[in-house]
Amino acid sequence: MSRQRLRRHLPGGALALAISLCAAPSFAASGYNKPPEPILGTMHTPLPPSAIGDPTNRTLLMVQQAQYPSIKRVAEPYLKLGGVRIEPRTRARHDASSGYGIRACLEGFSLIDIASGKERKIALPAGACPGMPGWSPDGKRFAFNNTVADHVELWVGDVASGTAHRVDGVALNTILDNDIQWLDGGNTLLVKQVPANLGAAPSRSEAPIAPEIKESLGGKGESSTYESRDTLTGPEDEVLFDYYTTSQLAKVDVATDKVTPYGKPATIAGVDVAPDGKHVLFETLKRPYSYVTTWERFAKDTSVLDTTDGSVKVIDSSPVADRVPVRGVPIGPRDFGWRANAPATLVWAEALDGGDWKTSVPNRDKVMMQGAPFTAKPVEVLRTPQRFSGMAWLAQGDEPFVYEYDANRHWMRVTRVDVASPGKAPKVIWDYSTDEKYKAPGSLVMQRQPNGSVVVQEDAGKVYLRGNGSSPQGDRPFLDRYDLASGKTERLFRSSADAYERVGSVLPGGTRFLVSKQSPVDPPNVFMATLGATTSAADGEAAYANSTTPVTHITDPMPQVRGAKKRLVTYKRKDGVDLSFTLYTPPGYKEGTRLPAVLYAYPQDFADPSQAGQVSGSQKTFDFLRGYRLLLLAGYAIIDNASFPIVGDPKSAYDTYLDQLVADAQAAVDKAVELGVVDRDRIGVTGHSHGALMTANLLAHTTLFRAGVATSGSYNKTLTPFGFQNERRSLWAATPVYEQASAFFHADKIKSPLLIMHGMDDANPGTEPIQSPKLFQAIRGLGGTTRLVMLPYEPHWYTAMESNEQEVYEMLTWFDRYVKNAPARQATTK
């Protein structure tokens, strides 16, 4: 249905409403709507740059990012092939590697010398579209790709000269990622380039015309639900996929720009350089391709290239993995990687439970190792009771940190294992629930070695842990030092209570470190912190007094929004579960004034009620207003990130999903009203993705909200029949649960106005674009008040400036009409 025909069935356009801080929304000639000032100007304010420190801690690379690209950029034509979106014109990947957004162009780079604070801007051509840069291990250079009209260039930056140059004769292939890697300390790059003489792209007519056929010849095949339009659909797609993903590995001498090809062109996916800089692990996709899953699970060969003689050794050949259980892993060898502290030793895992977490076995995985020249039989070094999740190696020694995860209990176990003595029992270091925020030990601080490998940073037998420092008062990030011999932990740094400070890199010796610091009125800046004498904090916790010296001097890009205030609010659900939200009030707010409000939440699943209400996030961060938060500038209060836990055994928690959802909402609304800030009769609700389902369900099952805005939601869970969120049962095993959770089946109860928005090119499994039109049709057919806005070219998260302007315009107009300026209800809501 066209936009014009849709309008006949939707409530009218912009409202000429007088609001305290904004003029009435205007209509843009392009067909997109724009919100009024000061919201519009805030959306167009440039973001401050972000800092990327070099491995030697001498230089910061400042990266300038745009708030939003233009719709012209987002609308660049692309092909949907095997789970990637490919731009034929530029031969670049259209979507971000996460699959949830659009690959964006950075706006520029500058270099800051950490010692002196001197900044130098890197000159780039007008209209450049650079990607995220990567430092060389020696910190002397950085490399990045740059997308131009018909290919992707390779560029190398030089710290000493403060310049960057294009490497001529290289057209990068960025489609399956891993397009640029440093091969040694900083003199050579390994790249994936478009093969020479590949020729013009095949047209679809050059492939044989044939029916699209999928079949199943028995055996269970439950797996995540993928959109058929993004998987391959026939021989024509296979030909195009081969053409655009075929790469040639090549070495680039960054001093001379000499390019030396390695091996033959192939459909190369993952690429990983060994610590010795001579061996390269790479994956080659092979036919037959699958039409029901994406390229990550295609059949493939895992091989090692020896760059000294060009020889290739195939380590493993795996078949297509299109029958992997939801939250499971493929059978056979998987997750290949290099041992970080050995020249060229491979490490991988193999499932012992058929890849299915529902199978009860003593051990789920075994971990194997094999060293160059890869002719000896692989050695089993350990077995893990839960799913193997990786290793973190020290620079020397045979005892890495081993991570294993229990998806059913949300539990992480970290051990140290002597891989040189496979029969020796592992030493448990940490054993904790990943839902536990207050006692989380933090993450090991890693460092890049001169050869490029990444290891755990160690100083005199001690390693460092960096964490969020969650507490009932909010996050206060910390840096700890852990003694490998005694197992004792010492706190070196904790963020001050009046700011949000997070440690970036730790300098050798552990007495100096780079810290990112921000506050509600100060944008994030980098400081050099130096440890002082031991002291005792006000809360009794031992700590060090630290002195800091500013490295960057970034100013506030949005001073117009600093008048908005926020506070942490804690409360309880009727069953005693602790909850919290952040309450934002608009600039100029006077205490005691009751405001219209918008509640935003995203339901999350917890096995333990004591962890469900733990506070996360900080009230001391510097806010960049985006999306629904921009409504602060129109006089709304925002009940932000309200806790909406779904608590219970993961095997059955969704049996009470609706009851808990309603209880979460009731508690949040009651508390906001109790504070004297929010008008109970003028509250709207909004959410994205799983939060959009929440929004629709709250309108169907409560009278707490006057209206709702649901973006990119999944409203009919029978379309994802093998599980959703933390629900592990299939539709056929738990039919009532799927029906209860699906707002589509309760459309007849949605009496409050619901604005539904969705990106037309949403590729997120479970939130296919068809979900929103079907809910709209149901509500409309049942006589409800609703509006459907489908955003062209947009994925799961809206990317273009025009699309984001439209979203905010629609939200503001909808809530102004049905919440802020709605007539009083006849009866008091509960």
Side-chain angles (χ1 to χ4, degrees):
M1 186 180 292
S2 69
R3 181 187 178 101
Q4 290 73 25
R5 291 176 62 198
L6 270 175
R7 281 185 173 173
R8 300 174 191 170
H9 305 287
L10 303 177
L15 301 176
L17 300 177
I19 55 180
S20 58
L21 298 174
C22 298
S26 64
F27 186 81
S30 68
Y32 282 89
N33 299 92
K34 295 179 181 292
E37 295 292 354
I39 291 176
L40 185 62
T42 302
M43 295 182 73
H44 284 261
T45 301
L47 295 174
S50 55
I52 305 175
D54 86 280
T56 66
N57 297 304
R58 297 191 303 258
T59 310
L60 295 179
L61 183 58
M62 306 302 292
V63 176
Q64 184 66 56
Q65 295 176 284
Q67 278 249 43
Y68 311 99
S70 69
I71 191 64
K72 180 180 179 181
R73 163 75 191 94
V74 175
E76 174 72 30
Y78 60 88
L79 302 169
K80 303 168 185 177
L81 299 169
V84 289
R85 297 180 169 187
I86 301 167
E87 298 176 4
R89 181 178 66 85
T90 61
R91 296 189 59 95
R93 183 162 179 167
H94 181 75
D95 56 330
S97 57
S98 65
Y100 290 91
I102 303 297
R103 176 187 56 81
C105 302
L106 300 178
E107 294 195 330
F109 309 127
S110 63
L111 295 170
I112 294 181
D113 179 75
I114 292 175
S116 67
K118 180 181 178 181
E119 183 170 6
R120 294 171 293 165
K121 186 174 179 60
I122 302 296
L124 294 175
C129 180
M132 193 61 70
W135 278 107
S136 63
D138 62 11
K140 296 179 179 179
R141 297 181 176 94
F142 56 95
F144 58 95
N145 62 49
N146 180 51
T147 304
V148 294
D150 58 356
H151 66 284
V152 181
E153 301 173 335
L154 171 64
W155 281 66
V156 176
D158 179 72
V159 173
S161 65
T163 62
H165 76 278
R166 182 184 65 242
V167 177
D168 292 330
V170 175
L172 295 173
N173 191 327
T174 63
I175 305 303
L176 300 183
D177 300 327
N178 303 120
D179 52 305
I180 304 173
Q181 295 193 45
W182 289 96
L183 195 57
D184 54 23
N187 300 314
T188 310
L189 286 168
L190 180 72
V191 301
K192 293 195 323 190
Q193 62 176 351
V194 177
N197 304 317
L198 188 61
S203 65
R204 289 190 178 273
S205 61
E206 293 177 21
I209 298 174
E212 178 184 337
I213 300 173
K214 300 175 183 179
E215 66 179 0
S216 178
L217 302 176
K220 289 187 177 181
E222 67 173 68
S223 61
S224 297
T225 304
Y226 294 93
E227 287 185 276
S228 61
R229 66 197 182 102
D230 268 17
T231 55
L232 300 178
T233 61
E236 293 179 332
D237 279 358
E238 292 189 41
V239 171
L240 288 167
F241 181 82
D242 280 341
Y243 176 82
Y244 285 108
T245 60
T246 295
S247 299
Q248 170 74 62
L249 290 178
K251 177 179 72 173
V252 179
D253 186 315
V254 296
T256 64
D257 287 358
K258 180 182 178 181
V259 180
T260 305
Y262 284 133
K264 298 179 180 180
T267 51
I268 299 172
V271 179
D272 189 15
V273 177
D276 67 1
K278 299 175 182 178
H279 292 85
V280 178
L281 177 70
F282 66 100
E283 297 172 332
T284 305
L285 306 181
K286 59 184 182 181
R287 299 193 183 206
Y289 295 143
S290 172
Y291 290 2
V292 298
T293 191
T294 54
W295 69 269
E296 293 95 335
R297 290 185 173 175
F298 284 1
K300 62 187 176 186
D301 286 339
T302 300
S303 307
V304 172
L305 165 70
D306 187 335
T307 61
T308 61
D309 60 13
S311 62
V312 174
K313 173 74 173 180
V314 177
I315 304 298
D316 177 66
S317 292
S318 58
V320 64
D322 58 1
R323 290 182 179 270
V324 178
V326 176
R327 299 182 183 86
V329 297
I331 59 174
R334 73 174 197 279
D335 299 336
F336 284 86
W338 294 109
R339 175 173 173 169
N341 65 1
T345 297
L346 286 174
V347 182
W348 68 87
E350 297 183 25
L352 299 172
D353 60 358
D356 191 346
W357 64 270
K358 295 190 289 292
T359 302
S360 296
V361 292
N363 294 289
R364 295 208 175 275
D365 283 324
K366 64 179 180 180
V367 179
M368 311 295 292
M369 289 177 55
Q370 186 181 33
F374 312 105
T375 54
K377 184 178 179 181
V379 177
E380 181 182 326
V381 295
L382 74 139
R383 294 193 174 200
T384 58
Q386 299 303 328
R387 187 68 67 212
F388 174 74
S389 300
M391 285 180 169
W393 296 87
L394 299 171
Q396 296 179 339
D398 297 316
E399 298 184 36
F401 291 87
V402 177
Y403 293 80
E404 51 186 289
Y405 182 63
D406 182 349
N408 187 52
R409 293 195 304 146
H410 297 188
W411 206 270
M412 181 68 75
R413 181 173 183 255
V414 184
T415 60
R416 289 194 71 195
V417 177
D418 187 346
V419 298
S421 304
K424 188 176 179 180
K427 179 182 178 181
V428 178
I429 307 300
W430 299 291
D431 196 24
Y432 61 97
S433 168
T434 54
D435 294 333
E436 171 58 63
K437 301 181 182 72
Y438 295 167
K439 299 178 182 179
S443 302
L444 289 165
V445 175
M446 310 298 286
Q447 67 177 4
R448 187 172 296 277
Q449 298 195 109
N451 64 4
S453 64
V454 177
V455 298
V456 179
Q457 184 168 343
E458 179 185 5
D459 285 314
K462 298 179 180 180
V463 299
Y464 302 95
L465 293 161
R466 183 171 47 208
N468 293 329
S470 298
S471 73
Q473 292 75 44
D475 289 356
R476 291 181 62 187
F478 64 83
L479 177 71
D480 285 352
R481 185 161 53 196
Y482 174 82
D483 190 302
L484 294 171
S486 69
K488 294 182 179 179
T489 300
E490 176 188 22
R491 179 136 300 174
L492 301 180
F493 172 85
R494 188 186 184 196
S495 175
S496 62
D498 60 355
Y500 183 82
E501 300 166 299
R502 189 172 186 87
V503 173
S505 56
V506 181
L507 276 66
T511 60
R512 301 171 69 222
F513 37 88
L514 291 171
V515 175
S516 174
K517 181 178 180 179
Q518 58 184 294
S519 75
V521 296
D522 299 308
N525 271 289
V526 177
F527 292 76
M528 179 65 77
T530 303
L531 287 182
T534 305
T535 185
S536 180
D539 56 8
E541 179 180 298
Y544 284 83
N546 302 297
S547 61
T548 58
T549 303
V551 178
T552 63
H553 302 274
I554 299 169
T555 57
D556 185 354
M558 297 181 181
Q560 68 271 26
V561 307
R562 289 312 135 215
K565 305 299 180 183
K566 61 180 176 180
R567 67 184 96 166
L568 174 66
V569 179
T570 58
Y571 53 103
K572 290 183 181 291
R573 203 166 70 176
K574 65 180 181 180
D575 59 359
V577 173
D578 290 320
L579 304 174
S580 66
F581 59 69
T582 297
L583 180 64
Y584 285 85
T585 50
Y589 172 71
K590 294 181 179 180
E591 287 293 335
T593 305
R594 291 199 178 271
L595 299 174
V598 173
L599 181 147
Y600 172 87
Y602 186 95
Q604 294 183 307
D605 305 332
F606 294 88
D608 186 340
S610 68
Q611 296 160 355
Q614 291 186 348
V615 176
S616 63
S618 173
Q619 309 308 303
K620 304 304 179 182
T621 54
F622 184 81
D623 287 321
F624 301 97
L625 298 187
R626 305 184 80 173
Y628 62 91
R629 287 183 184 172
L630 287 162
L631 270 62
L632 279 167
L633 303 181
Y636 287 82
I638 305 295
I639 306 167
D640 199 22
N641 286 318
S643 301
F644 266 62
I646 306 301
V647 184
D649 187 327
K651 297 177 181 178
S652 59
Y654 271 80
D655 290 354
T656 57
Y657 163 72
L658 278 183
D659 291 340
Q660 295 196 60
L661 203 69
V662 171
D664 292 332
Q666 185 73 60
V669 167
D670 287 347
K671 187 63 179 181
V673 173
E674 176 190 315
L675 293 171
V677 174
V678 171
D679 182 348
R680 184 183 291 275
D681 200 37
R682 294 188 297 163
I683 305 176
V685 60
T686 187
H688 185 81
S689 195
H690 193 47
L693 173 65
M694 170 206 75
T695 298
N697 271 322
L698 289 176
L699 295 191
H701 300 286
T702 78
T703 56
L704 294 168
F705 304 100
R706 298 301 300 268
V709 177
T711 59
S712 298
S714 172
Y715 311 106
N716 184 349
K717 290 304 181 182
T718 68
L719 299 180
T720 55
F722 292 109
F724 59 92
Q725 299 303 113
N726 219 37
E727 175 55 58
R728 284 90 182 276
R729 296 164 293 185
S730 73
L731 167 64
W732 299 274
T735 303
V737 171
Y738 281 72
E739 293 176 345
Q740 177 196 67
S742 298
F744 180 81
F745 292 117
H746 309 289
D748 58 323
K749 300 177 183 177
I750 299 177
K751 304 302 182 183
S752 297
L754 178 62
L755 168 64
I756 305 168
M757 301 186 71
H758 214 119
M760 288 186 181
D761 282 346
D762 190 345
N764 180 44
T767 58
E768 296 90 342
I770 192 63
Q771 291 267 1
S772 287
K774 290 300 182 184
L775 181 62
F776 167 77
Q777 292 167 9
I779 297 173
R780 175 181 174 273
L782 291 163
T785 301
T786 186
R787 178 179 174 92
L788 174 67
V789 179
M790 301 295 289
L791 297 172
Y793 310 109
E794 290 293 354
H796 191 60
W797 291 100
Y798 313 147
T799 305
M801 174 62 79
E802 291 85 346
S803 299
N804 281 276
E805 290 173 347
Q806 185 74 37
E807 179 192 22
V808 175
Y809 162 84
E810 294 284 352
M811 189 175 291
L812 176 61
T813 302
W814 195 256
F815 283 141
D816 274 358
R817 172 182 282 185
Y818 294 113
V819 174
K820 189 176 190 179
N821 299 301
R825 286 173 167 169
Q826 296 299 315
T828 303
T829 59
K830 295 182 179 180

